[in-house]
Amino acid sequence: MPELRTRGRVGESVPRPDAPAKVRGDFSFGSDLVAPGMLYAKTLRSPHAHALIRSLDVAQAISMPGVRAVLTAADLPGVRLFSLHDPPDQPVLVGVGEEVRYAGEPVAVVAADHPEQARRAAAAIEADYELLPALTDPVEAIRAGSVLRELLIRRGDPEARAEVVVDGYYELGQQDQAPLGPEAGLAVPAGDGSVDLHVATQALHVDLGQVEACLALRPGAVRLHLAGVGGAFGAREDLSIHIHACLLALRTGRPVKMWYGREESFVGHVHRHPAQMWYSTGADRSGALVFVRATIVLDGGAYASSSGAVTANAACFGAGPYRVPNALVWSGAARTNSVPNGAMRGFGAVQTCFAHESQMDALAARLGMDPVQLRLKNALRSGEQLITGQRVTGAAPLEELIRLCAELPEPARSGHRLSLPGGAGNVAEAANVVRATGFAVGFKNIAYSEGHDDYSTARVRLERGPDGRALASIKTAASEVGQGVVTITQQIARTELGVEEVVSLPADTTVGDAGSSSASRQTWMTGSAVQLASRRVAEEVLRRAGPPARSLDAGQVLDAEGMALAPIELFLEEPIEREFEYHHRPTSGLNPEGQGDAHVSFMFVAHRATVDVDPEAGLARVVEVATAQDVGKALNPLQVHGQIEGGIAQGVGMATMEEIKQREGKILNASFTDYIIPTALDMPAVSSILVEEPEPDAPYGAKGVGEPPLISSPAAIAAALRAATGRRLGRLPVSPDELAGLAECEPDWEVTPGVSPSDGRRRQR
Amino acid sequence: MKVTVARSLEEALADPEAIFLAGGTDLMVGVNFGRERPEHVVSIRGLSELGDTSVGERVRIGGGVDYTRVLDALGEHSPALVQAARTIGSPQIRNAGTIGGNLGTCSPAGDTLPVLAALDAEVILRSPAGERRVPFSEFMLGPRKSARRPGELVEAVEWLDAGPSQAFLKAGTRNAMVIAVANLALVVDRARKAVRVALGSVGPTIIRALEAEDLARGLFEESGWERPLRPSQAAAARFGELAAGAARPIDDQRGSAIYRRHVVAVMARRALARTGEVA
Ligand SMILES: Cc1cc2nc3c(=O)[nH]c(=O)nc-3n(C[C@H](O)[C@H](O)[C@H](O)COP(=O)(O)OP(=O)(O)OC[C@H]3O[C@@H](n4cnc5c(N)ncnc54)[C@H](O)[C@@H]3O)c2cc1C
């Protein structure tokens, strides 16, 4: 008897349903949206990082051809502030008599018949500013009390002494998520005073709450629909065009399309927090860690956004995935006059991973120990405690990751000129090139932490399809941002329902909240909701079928022996629909000592980077990144590898080239001409091993996989570049100047690791 | 905005106020940034008068020739220009971008410009008044400033074939598709006993490193123009220093002045070693 088994279940490399359309160019992204009679919107933004708006004159703009509306803060109907943060602190539009706090902050919005008319009208608005001093040094901001969040973790003896101590100072530049699709959406007024907003976002309901408050409409009068998302990586957690487009649509009674160009996008979304980190790490002569003390200063920019969670992550993961008996970690985000910083893949953990892993290498060098052995010696195991006192109860196969990653074969040398450092530039010669490797490990939390009630909702329906056979449909508000939540939830439904025909309905706010596509959480959260809703549907099929029906597979109702009793559709005269709201195990906040079970689960990762460097010319090429990743269970191995390669691409960028450069709070390189990201010639080979140790509580044991590839890959690349050059390389991205030994990263402030920088002193140079 | 697709040189030159569009890889970036709002665009793409290439004692490349064709047409000739064309952008950009556009924009980071300087090329300009030949050394006047008058077309560039001892090197922070942080072209014309070194992205114009050229000429005199040159370490280092000394770099978001100067020295030394070997 052939085994009855549904195809496309969990564990299979099922291709994405949207892949053909995306490859052919048929996929409709947010910027492709159109509606009959739509208007085009444009934002006027402050050119100044900090200024008082003395006056705004829109008279000329409003009278220009094609212009249908010009709105300023005076036109706001509801709450004037929005934010991911509670209470909100970010103005929808900054009004007369109010202060703009970053260069690029919205001041007015225009809708016109043609985008060029909107652009010209925005330029014709006369804004008079009184310039104020811009606070751009985060340490100075913290000293002045301009702090978004600060916290301290104190564990064991914060003054512990050790036989071997290494101190280091590290910096990380401001990374952009660089999604290829900039912010875009279309607001369509419904005529009854309500509005439909189609928008590329990471979290429909998180947006909805903020938009509703600011539009002040009756409940249910704002509906959000997910538009095609061209990448997110954290850039779409905060609002962008949402409120502006809705306001203009409601004012004009016409659909309003709004999208940012690349230059505008750089001020239209948050970025990764730049960091300055002072570390001191102590160990005994055997290499066992005795203490970690660290001060982590993050530049939060002008508004709170996700700074709170980033500050906490930086602290919680600041000592690395190691057994650290004594810790003192101060972490704080400064409020400055920079474009706000917030969510980006791996937030908080990426910053401190670079520091703690650099420290581990320095320690290994001091001890004369192999860096891989030092990590193995200290690797955290399941059942052990973090510096927050939280015991890791789930899978923590870190030692295995380290061993497997270190054992992966090293890449061969390529003879091709283009594969030399500097690639097409033709500068390096094989004789000048040094090859080296570096190793790093990292970890991070999955899903929301610190007592957030984190949940996701799914509605699963089973009915007879057009061909009479069983057809399942899934309805959630989970944002498909390219990560593959649609594919995964379909695989889950197939597995639980035993039917192959599964469709996903458009994501919108007519179903309950799914939370954000962030924090590597959707497979776990929405995956669980779909799994449990599907199980309830399956139970109903079995109930209708009656004994001896025991399970569903391959479209059949099966008995206890796995024999087919009847096709599932036989029991679908009436469709079955079930909804499930899944909440993960509650977490707690951190107490004043920074102690608490703040996180639900952790994912671990190891990276080994191989680089070729032309030290004299200051040119480098990442040849390969090898990785072993703790995935719990690979529900779709193809997608896991996709996440790994994509995350490593961003890690290569972070380590070697990507940085938003600012002067006095103004971005100097707001385009892909000068904000450079890796090309195909910069992308290293990736070799990866997935370690599957099922996570209790998670659906099928699957952990999130999106962030780990970016957590320790930059640190591993930095380690390899150090090994190749012998230079300190305390800053990411590593500059050619540092590679060539022309410059070194030095702190502006003298700060004692573990102590607030308020007590620091400006360094004399 | 008016757009004319020119079918002949006369049509292309009819409106002296018009802005030419060749590959559009610079012009459209300017338009997208709102830096340029041309009233009248004349597309010169596909004008056969700008598309000719010929190699021989004189090498001529039409102003409308794109980089992919430069790579095909030049083959073994003028290897520095071939190397420069290979570093430009991506395959898509090389299929669209032209030499005329590189000269039209006249950015200090334009990758063909140091090569044209080191080849001592002539820029052939065409207007209704006729043809005008401007040596490259008199063509570039500043960042995005040239001797080209409004309405004048770059019809072609021309130079005397300088033989195979040439090199072009470009330093950037990415392995492909990167604007030069610094670039350098070295041409050793052994037959005419001439050495020319030109630097890009390290000053407001392309800079000829005249002292470095003098030094190298002396080295070739000594070892014989027809023979491989294997300079001593000290001589190579001196050559690098002189080249770096000629640079007038600034700090900007693409790179620091100190690195630019440093990498010019490195590139100069390597370029000398490479061209020295080719006799
Ligand atoms: C992604 C990208 C990467 C790039 N990488 C590089 C690089 O690595 N190196 C580099 O040097 N450049 C690079 N560029 C810039 C650009 O591709 C080159 O400068 C190219 O040579 C421009 O040629 P074009 O035909 O596209 O010029 P266009 O954009 O059509 O024109 C540019 C200017 O020149 C004028 N013009 C064009 N043709 C003529 C002519 N025959 N006579 C007179 N004026 C003319 C135009 O009016 C316009 O002012 C890059 C551009 C992009 C978008």
Side-chain angles (χ1 to χ4, degrees):
Chain A
M1 187 190 69
E3 200 193 346
L4 288 172
R5 228 172 134 70
T6 316
R7 287 168 304 172
R9 305 157 63 99
V10 297
E12 293 176 34
S13 287
V14 176
R16 308 170 55 91
D18 60 4
K22 280 183 171 162
V23 171
R24 281 198 307 263
D26 293 340
F27 185 84
S28 172
F29 290 97
S31 49
D32 297 323
L33 294 166
V34 284
M38 74 183 185
L39 303 174
Y40 297 85
K42 179 73 189 168
T43 313
L44 175 72
R45 295 172 181 276
S46 162
H48 309 298
H50 192 198
L52 179 77
I53 304 185
R54 280 211 210 101
S55 66
L56 276 174
D57 185 352
V58 303
Q60 199 202 330
I62 195 89
S63 67
M64 288 170 70
V67 174
R68 305 290 166 172
V70 179
L71 303 182
T72 66
D75 301 296
L76 298 176
V79 176
R80 300 162 66 87
L81 302 174
F82 72 94
S83 182
L84 290 173
H85 182 262
D86 184 24
D89 65 344
Q90 195 162 348
V92 175
L93 293 169
V94 182
V96 174
E98 297 175 341
E99 283 179 18
V100 291
R101 296 194 183 83
Y102 69 91
E105 187 159 12
V107 168
V109 286
V110 181
D113 294 344
H114 188 279
E116 183 65 14
Q117 291 170 326
R119 193 187 68 81
R120 290 183 187 180
I125 297 172
E126 283 178 27
D128 182 26
Y129 296 96
E130 178 184 328
L131 297 194
L132 300 171
L135 186 54
T136 55
D137 177 341
V139 173
E140 230 164 54
I142 287 170
R143 292 163 66 87
S146 184
V147 183
L148 292 163
R149 182 178 184 185
E150 64 181 292
L151 65 89
L152 191 71
I153 292 177
R154 198 196 307 264
R155 175 149 190 87
D157 174 7
E159 278 155 32
R161 292 167 164 275
E163 290 166 326
V164 184
V165 176
V166 291
D167 290 331
Y169 171 73
Y170 306 95
E171 265 180 34
L172 220 104
Q174 187 179 32
Q175 190 180 22
D176 184 40
Q177 300 87 344
L180 289 188
E183 293 70 14
L186 176 72
V188 185
D192 61 352
S194 70
V195 62
D196 286 275
L197 174 66
H198 302 259
V199 64
T201 176
Q202 289 179 244
L204 290 164
H205 286 81
V206 180
D207 292 357
L208 178 66
Q210 300 172 72
V211 176
E212 272 178 339
C214 294
L215 296 183
L217 300 178
R218 61 176 197 277
V222 185
R223 293 167 297 271
L224 261 64
H225 309 263
L226 184 66
V229 181
F233 315 110
R236 295 182 210 273
E237 285 192 37
D238 298 69
L239 298 187
S240 56
I241 57 101
H242 307 55
I243 301 170
H244 297 156
C246 289
L247 285 170
L248 289 166
L250 291 165
R251 172 64 69 100
T252 60
R254 303 258 299 266
V256 171
K257 173 165 177 167
M258 200 163 189
W259 80 96
Y260 296 164
R262 182 59 57 190
E263 195 180 7
E264 187 172 17
S265 178
F266 271 89
V267 292
H269 64 250
V270 301
H271 307 286
R272 188 189 296 292
H273 288 72
Q276 300 172 32
M277 300 171 286
W278 291 259
Y279 265 70
S280 181
T281 307
D284 67 20
R285 285 198 205 290
S286 78
L289 288 173
V290 175
F291 69 80
V292 171
R293 291 194 277 270
T295 297
I296 300 150
V297 173
L298 304 162
D299 185 351
Y303 296 103
S305 182
S306 309
S307 275
V310 178
T311 306
N313 273 6
C316 291
F317 309 113
Y322 303 115
R323 270 183 302 282
V324 179
N326 307 295
L328 185 67
V329 177
W330 186 96
S331 174
R335 186 196 286 276
T336 65
N337 294 113
S338 160
V339 55
N341 293 306
M344 183 174 173
R345 200 172 191 174
F347 70 37
V350 171
Q351 286 91 337
T352 46
C353 184
F354 171 53
H356 65 63
E357 288 307 274
S358 300
Q359 286 285 98
M360 290 300 273
D361 285 342
L363 191 59
R366 186 72 64 78
L367 288 161
M369 209 171 156
D370 175 60
V372 173
Q373 290 308 316
L374 180 66
R375 287 172 173 85
L376 269 178
K377 185 172 180 69
N378 291 285
L380 200 68
R381 301 192 184 111
S382 187
E384 293 177 341
Q385 285 171 294
L386 311 184
I387 57 172
T388 54
Q390 177 164 8
R391 213 168 278 288
V392 179
T393 53
L398 181 57
E399 289 173 273
E400 192 182 350
L401 298 178
I402 295 173
R403 281 204 188 87
L404 290 172
C405 183
E407 280 164 11
L408 280 167
E410 293 197 16
R413 273 171 210 276
S414 154
H416 200 289
R417 276 205 74 85
L418 283 179
S419 66
L420 292 172
N426 196 31
V427 175
E429 292 154 10
N432 322 111
V433 172
V434 182
R435 172 160 292 192
T437 62
F439 202 85
V441 302
F443 74 144
K444 191 187 169 286
N445 57 323
I446 305 172
Y448 303 157
S449 300
E450 292 189 86
H452 261 280
D453 179 16
D454 187 358
Y455 69 95
S456 178
T457 318
R459 202 183 289 153
V460 174
R461 185 180 168 92
L462 193 60
E463 62 198 320
R464 287 183 188 156
D467 62 356
R469 298 181 41 213
L471 168 72
S473 53
I474 303 170
K475 176 83 182 178
T476 77
S479 282
E480 171 60 64
V481 295
Q483 87 280 39
V485 65
V486 163
T487 324
I488 292 290
T489 47
Q490 291 183 358
Q491 290 176 255
I492 290 173
R494 284 193 198 99
T495 307
E496 298 298 331
L497 297 171
V499 301
E500 277 174 21
E501 284 307 309
V502 179
V503 296
S504 299
L505 302 175
D508 56 36
T509 50
T510 64
V511 62
D513 193 355
S516 62
S517 288
S518 68
S520 303
R521 64 182 281 288
Q522 286 295 19
T523 294
W524 185 324
M525 300 303 298
T526 300
S528 290
V530 169
Q531 181 191 39
L532 296 168
S534 300
R535 283 197 182 157
R536 281 171 174 61
V537 171
E539 280 162 18
E540 174 61 12
V541 175
L542 295 175
R543 194 194 62 76
R544 288 183 187 181
R550 289 291 284 276
S551 63
L552 308 177
D553 216 335
Q556 302 287 321
V557 177
L558 311 180
D559 67 11
E561 268 74 56
M563 292 287 283
L565 298 170
I568 292 173
E569 51 268 22
L570 202 63
F571 308 101
L572 295 177
E573 193 127 342
E574 287 291 314
I576 305 170
E577 186 173 289
R578 293 291 181 272
E579 189 170 298
F580 196 91
E581 190 180 282
Y582 170 81
H583 296 245
H584 74 56
R585 178 161 50 78
T587 59
S588 75
L590 295 167
N591 72 15
E593 302 278 281
Q595 303 292 297
D597 292 348
H599 307 292
V600 69
S601 172
F602 307 91
M603 32 193 188
F604 298 84
V605 66
H607 286 105
R608 184 195 65 206
T610 303
V611 299
D612 279 347
V613 184
D614 177 343
E616 192 187 27
L619 299 172
R621 188 168 192 284
V622 183
V623 175
E624 188 212 52
V625 174
T627 180
Q629 189 169 322
D630 158 42
V631 303
K633 157 93 185 158
L635 297 190
N636 184 323
L638 182 66
Q639 289 198 167
V640 175
H641 288 290
Q643 288 296 310
I644 288 176
E645 290 182 10
I648 285 172
Q650 285 182 307
V652 169
M654 172 85 262
T656 62
M657 62 183 86
E658 289 187 36
E659 181 175 10
I660 297 176
K661 305 236 168 93
Q662 297 200 26
R663 191 182 301 135
E664 316 272 291
K666 288 178 200 163
I667 298 180
L668 303 174
N669 56 341
S671 83
F672 285 167
T673 302
D674 284 321
Y675 182 90
I676 55 175
I677 58 177
T679 67
L681 259 188
D682 301 281
M683 182 64 196
V686 172
S687 90
S688 44
I689 295 187
L690 312 182
V691 172
E692 296 188 293
E693 188 179 322
E695 177 74 354
D697 297 345
Y700 315 98
K703 287 186 174 182
V705 299
E707 292 170 290
L710 180 46
I711 293 174
S712 45
S713 53
I717 292 165
L721 295 173
R722 276 187 204 116
T725 58
R727 310 218 182 270
R728 200 155 58 86
L729 310 184
R731 186 173 202 283
L732 294 186
V734 175
S735 70
D737 301 55
E738 283 165 287
L739 279 180
L742 305 172
E744 260 195 18
C745 163
E746 302 273 4
D748 289 335
W749 297 88
E750 254 170 48
V751 170
T752 310
V755 176
S756 161
S758 305
D759 302 329
R761 280 187 298 127
R762 196 178 269 286
R763 283 186 72 217
Q764 304 299 321
R765 298 241 175 151
Chain B
M1 185 181 70
K2 191 171 131 193
V3 179
T4 308
V5 179
R7 279 158 304 176
S8 66
L9 272 188
E10 290 67 52
E11 272 183 36
L13 295 170
D15 176 3
E17 309 276 283
I19 298 294
F20 300 121
L21 173 84
T25 59
D26 275 326
L27 186 65
M28 294 315 294
V29 174
V31 169
N32 284 342
F33 271 114
R35 276 197 307 257
E36 314 216 24
R37 280 289 180 275
E39 296 286 320
H40 183 193
V41 171
V42 174
S43 168
I44 54 172
R45 220 164 166 165
L47 273 188
S48 57
E49 292 92 330
L50 303 180
D52 64 326
T53 58
S54 59
V55 292
E57 205 194 323
R58 288 191 79 78
V59 184
R60 181 183 168 101
I61 303 277
V65 174
D66 64 55
Y67 297 116
T68 303
R69 280 192 48 219
V70 168
L71 293 176
D72 294 343
L74 284 180
E76 307 279 282
H77 299 271
S78 305
L81 193 63
V82 170
Q83 286 161 17
R86 179 61 192 80
T87 76
I88 291 178
S90 58
Q92 296 89 329
I93 297 295
R94 293 196 286 276
N95 286 341
T98 61
I99 296 249
N102 218 224
L103 285 161
T105 300
C106 222
S107 152
D111 283 317
T112 67
L113 306 186
V115 185
L116 296 176
L119 287 168
D120 208 10
E122 272 181 338
V123 182
I124 302 170
L125 297 165
R126 163 82 51 190
S127 70
E131 181 191 286
R132 194 158 78 89
R133 289 178 171 248
V134 181
F136 186 85
S137 55
E138 291 164 27
F139 182 79
M140 188 171 187
L141 306 177
R144 297 177 176 263
K145 284 206 200 82
S146 73
R148 187 173 68 87
R149 298 179 190 134
E152 252 180 341
L153 263 180
V154 175
E155 187 176 354
V157 281
E158 231 182 77
W159 60 90
L160 284 169
D161 192 343
S165 302
Q166 309 183 2
F168 172 83
L169 293 80
K170 162 174 166 181
T173 32
R174 181 157 74 178
N175 288 295
M177 198 150 96
V178 67
I179 297 176
V181 170
N183 59 17
L184 174 146
L186 171 60
V187 171
V188 181
D189 187 339
R190 290 175 183 268
R192 296 182 190 81
K193 299 189 171 28
V195 178
R196 287 180 295 267
V197 184
L199 316 176
S201 250
V202 289
T205 62
I206 303 304
I207 295 172
R208 284 273 297 275
L210 298 175
E211 290 180 47
E213 291 180 2
D214 285 343
L215 177 91
R217 210 172 298 116
L219 295 174
F220 279 101
E221 285 294 342
E222 236 171 77
S223 78
W225 284 97
E226 64 295 338
R227 301 230 317 278
L229 172 76
R230 302 209 171 92
S232 70
Q233 253 188 1
R238 185 74 195 126
F239 179 74
E241 276 166 30
L242 289 174
R248 282 185 285 144
I250 55 163
D251 286 323
D252 66 13
Q253 73 273 15
R254 291 176 192 152
S256 69
I258 179 175
Y259 174 71
R260 288 185 154 117
R261 213 180 269 286
H262 167 83
V263 83
V264 164
V266 174
M267 292 193 297
R269 267 187 266 129
R270 292 183 187 175
L272 186 64
R274 288 182 207 172
T275 50
E277 284 300 322
V278 184

